[in-house]
């Protein structure tokens, strides 16, 4: 196992920093669970029936993600966070779906970073677990974009231009 205290050069992420970032990911997973639990039940109208059913499936997958991420944080010797990122609500179904989509975009950006960071630390198994989660998040993104009748957003670049391990 790599020693985090030795030779922390610039641009190299530490295991402590990775645990912190994973706790942010966990807070986003909690947010997603809550969002999907609520939205799947309040979305009404015949045109939203399919997506409401899909959101119920998302809710359960997000719980699986939260469990996987917590396990990684514990493995890194840190305590998993208990506070979700805030959940936005709206009376307007389209707006609800847009909030979900924005959250998924943010989640995808972060997991792409996290995979690179895990690999930089030699944590290949962790990177693989996150890759599995990322695949489901991309499915969520597609489900939401499809329900909104829009193109799947390209989040490969984005404002958080990727410099490995830099604090933001
Ligand atoms: Fe998730
Ligand atoms: Fe998701």
């Amino acid at each position: 196992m790599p020693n985090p205290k030795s030779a922390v050069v610039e641009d190299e992420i530490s295991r402590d920093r990775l645990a912190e970032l994973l706790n942010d990911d966990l807070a986003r997973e909690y947010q997603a669970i809550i969002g999907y639990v609520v939205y799947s039940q309040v979305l009404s109208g015949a045109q939203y029936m399919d997506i409401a059913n899909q959101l119920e499936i998302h809710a359960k997958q997000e719980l699986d993600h939260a469990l996987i991420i917590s396990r990684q944080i514990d493995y890194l010797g840190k305590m998993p966070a208990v506070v979700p990122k805030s959940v936005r609500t709206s009376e307007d179904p389209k707006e609800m779906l847009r909030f979900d989509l924005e959250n998924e975009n943010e989640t995808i950006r972060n997991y792409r970073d996290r995979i690179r960071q895990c690999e930089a630390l030699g944590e290949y198994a962790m990177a693989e677990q996150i890759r599995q989660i990322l695949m489901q998040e991309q499915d969520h993104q597609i489900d939401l974009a499809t329900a909104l009748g829009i193109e799947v957003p390209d989040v490969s670049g984005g404002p958080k231009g990727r410099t490995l391990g830099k604090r933001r």
Side-chain angles (χ1 to χ4, degrees), residues 29 32 36 62 65 104 107 136-137 140:
E29 293 293 354
Y36 285 130
E62 305 296 10
H65 301 169
E104 292 289 352
T107 295
Q136 288 194 333
E137 309 294 15
H140 297 168

Side-chain angles (χ1 to χ4, degrees), residues 3 9-10 14 19 23 32-33 38 41 43-45 53 57 75 78 81 90 94-95 104 111 113 136 147-149 153:
N3 180 349
V9 291
E10 209 179 44
S14 69
N23 257 328
I33 295 166
V38 174
Q41 304 311 309
L43 266 183
S44 52
N53 288 335
I57 296 169
Y75 162 79
K78 298 292 173 186
S90 170
K94 280 224 146 123
E95 204 169 46
E104 292 289 352
Y111 282 141
D113 282 355
Q136 288 194 333
L148 283 163

Side-chain angles (χ1 to χ4, degrees), residues 43-52 92-94 97 146-148:
L43 266 183
S44 52
Q47 75 270 41
Y48 295 115
M49 227 168 68
D50 278 355
I51 186 69
D92 174 15
K94 280 224 146 123
L97 294 173
T146 305
L148 283 163

Side-chain angles (χ1 to χ4, degrees), residues 80-133:
V82 294
V83 181
K85 298 218 180 263
S86 64
V87 181
R88 290 172 293 177
T89 53
S90 170
E91 300 283 306
D92 174 15
K94 280 224 146 123
E95 204 169 46
M96 267 191 258
L97 294 173
R98 247 188 326 262
F99 290 155
D100 277 343
L101 181 58
E102 282 167 22
N103 290 342
E104 292 289 352
N105 293 343
E106 182 65 17
T107 295
I108 288 167
R109 271 187 219 108
N110 273 280
Y111 282 141
R112 286 185 180 163
D113 282 355
R114 219 63 76 237
I115 290 166
R116 283 191 282 265
Q117 291 160 337
C118 288
E119 287 178 347
L121 280 171
E123 292 288 353
Y124 299 108
M126 196 183 292
E128 194 49 43
Q129 303 247 23
I130 296 176
R131 217 174 249 118
Q132 299 296 320
I133 296 176

